[in-house]
Amino acid sequence: MNRKITFIATMSFLTGLAGCASAEQGDAGQAAERFHSAVAGGQGEQACALLTPRAAESLQNGDQGCAQAVLSLNLSGGAIRQAEIWGDEAQVRLERDTVFLHRFPQGWLVRGAGCQARGDLPYDCGVEG
Amino acid sequence: MRSFLKDNALSLFFLGLFLLALAGQSVAGNADYNERQLAEGGTSLSWAAYVTSSDFAVDVAENWQSEYLQFLLFIMATVWLVQRGSPESKEPGKEGTESDSDQQVGRHSEPDSPAWAKVTGLRLKLYSNSLGLTMGLIFLLSWLAQSLAGRAAHNAEQLARMQDPLSWWEYVGSADFWNRTLQNWQSEFLAVLSMVVLAIYLRQRGSPESKPVGAAHKATGVEG
């Protein structure tokens, strides 16, 4: 009887953990999708609001603000293929992009987008901060 | 109560030291983690969040596994290998698991021998190796915990550097895992070597880890 209760408790705990992990992955994935939707819809200001402060700052160049710069990168996302979360960092693989996010108290913000893999080296990203 | 404290003073002393050191590590580790986060533009963690994080778990587990490995190897190697003159060693000629009579098992057991030492078969076999098996099991579990927590902490760093996270198999073959492992192992092995060799020539009066002060350098297996 005790073994049965322990087993049920363990399975509930593991299922709960899996549930948390998948909800977290969903949140990070949605943040990546919202960013790409804003870019695809030409809403530069909205896209920049989904970037980390450092990433938004990195796009500001002379007269060109973040909103203009983020649209000029011709980023393209697509459907989510995979999401991984480790600590406060996330990587979301979309059909045509790999997006890196960081968890802030207010939620997930994009710190890297328009990223190309370079083997063991860090990804080369159009938006990076 | 006083008798209990006196009879268990050695265990209680090390339990107290262990808890104090672990608490100190959690505070210092949390401060160090938060300093790094501040420098890298990340978010700091509360003490409660830090002690349940993979960063703290891997730092604890990598030290635990190496300590248990050290004692496991010390226990097992001293069955078969001797060091002439060392109080940590058996006398030369006694290498091996020794006779039932020497080990007071089966029909050679004493009235106050443990129950599983009085029987034969699997129970005696298990009890005869219970110290090594337990230390070995704790070593393996700690090493497994190091690999799991280490992978989580390493993958967070990988993502922060915009690199792909590693699978568990990739992580246990990685430089990070083996650097953490071997830097602990080498120090443990050196400490055992030092104890075995230095105790041949040096003494600590009153300590059972040392030979009696007046014992000859070549005297082996004598504890003071």
Side-chain angles (χ1 to χ4, degrees):
Chain A
M1 183 63 185
N2 279 343
R3 276 191 188 169
K4 202 169 180 180
I5 291 170
T6 308
F7 177 74
I8 291 169
T10 306
M11 292 311 289
S12 305
F13 176 70
L14 292 176
T15 312
L17 278 185
C20 283
S22 99
E24 291 269 296
Q25 286 169 343
D27 289 346
Q30 281 172 14
E33 276 185 325
R34 276 200 302 275
F35 171 76
H36 268 289
S37 297
V39 171
Q43 298 166 309
E45 292 285 350
Q46 204 175 323
C48 286
L50 294 166
L51 294 174
T52 64
R54 278 192 185 185
E57 201 178 314
S58 74
L59 286 176
Q60 285 167 359
N61 184 15
D63 293 340
Q64 196 181 34
C66 174
Q68 273 182 296
V70 74
L71 297 179
S72 69
L73 292 171
N74 296 320
L75 300 175
S76 175
I80 297 173
R81 285 167 49 198
Q82 191 192 359
E84 278 201 56
I85 294 174
W86 295 98
D88 287 332
E89 309 293 334
Q91 181 193 52
V92 178
R93 292 179 187 276
L94 303 168
E95 280 175 326
R96 294 179 294 281
D97 194 10
T98 300
V99 179
F100 291 88
L101 303 101
H102 182 81
R103 183 183 4 221
F104 287 86
Q106 67 268 33
W108 291 99
L109 293 176
V110 174
R111 49 186 293 269
C115 300
Q116 300 288 325
R118 294 187 296 173
D120 287 339
L121 292 174
Y123 277 68
D124 183 24
C125 300
V127 179
E128 192 172 329
Chain B
M1 183 63 183
R2 204 169 160 187
S3 169
F4 174 84
L5 291 178
K6 201 175 172 191
D7 287 348
N8 298 285
L10 189 59
S11 306
L12 292 170
F13 173 70
F14 278 104
L15 177 63
L17 280 184
F18 162 67
L19 293 175
L20 283 173
L22 189 65
Q25 183 193 345
S26 72
V27 173
N30 189 21
D32 179 51
Y33 179 88
N34 285 343
E35 278 174 19
R36 279 184 282 126
Q37 288 295 101
L38 194 66
E40 292 160 11
T43 36
S44 59
L45 287 181
S46 67
W47 179 84
Y50 177 72
V51 295
T52 53
S53 72
S54 56
D55 288 84
F56 182 63
V58 67
D59 288 348
V60 170
E62 73 177 43
N63 284 284
W64 284 13
Q65 60 87 0
S66 65
E67 301 300 335
Y68 282 98
L69 175 67
Q70 175 194 34
F71 279 100
L72 170 68
L73 291 180
F74 203 15
I75 292 163
M76 301 313 292
T78 50
V79 174
W80 299 99
L81 306 175
V82 296
Q83 175 57 57
R84 190 179 295 278
S86 178
E88 303 298 336
S89 166
K90 296 194 284 191
E91 284 176 39
K94 285 194 170 177
E95 291 92 335
T97 53
E98 303 179 15
S99 67
D100 285 359
S101 169
D102 288 338
Q103 292 292 313
Q104 301 171 13
V105 295
R107 61 189 179 86
H108 301 283
S109 60
E110 300 290 332
D112 58 353
S113 292
W116 282 29
K118 293 177 180 172
V119 296
T120 54
L122 182 63
R123 280 189 294 169
L124 176 61
K125 193 96 179 159
L126 270 177
Y127 191 66
S128 298
N129 294 287
S130 54
L131 186 58
L133 285 171
T134 304
M135 299 301 267
L137 183 65
I138 299 174
F139 158 64
L140 288 176
L141 290 176
S142 304
W143 205 18
L144 176 66
Q146 180 199 327
S147 75
L148 295 172
R151 179 189 171 216
H154 185 69
N155 277 350
E157 287 172 15
Q158 287 280 106
L159 290 184
R161 291 192 296 262
M162 295 193 183
Q163 289 175 293
D164 284 326
L166 305 182
S167 68
W168 183 81
W169 284 110
E170 286 171 329
Y171 181 68
V172 295
S174 73
D176 184 77
F177 178 72
W178 284 103
N179 182 39
R180 282 179 178 276
T181 297
L182 292 171
Q183 68 172 299
N184 282 285
W185 286 5
Q186 57 84 12
S187 64
E188 305 304 339
F189 300 155
L190 177 65
V192 174
L193 170 67
S194 305
M195 188 65 201
V196 168
V197 176
L198 292 177
I200 299 172
Y201 304 105
L202 305 178
R203 307 287 185 268
Q204 187 59 54
R205 185 169 182 154
S207 173
E209 302 307 314
S210 162
K211 293 193 279 196
V213 179
H217 290 335
K218 65 181 179 186
T220 309
V222 187
E223 296 187 336

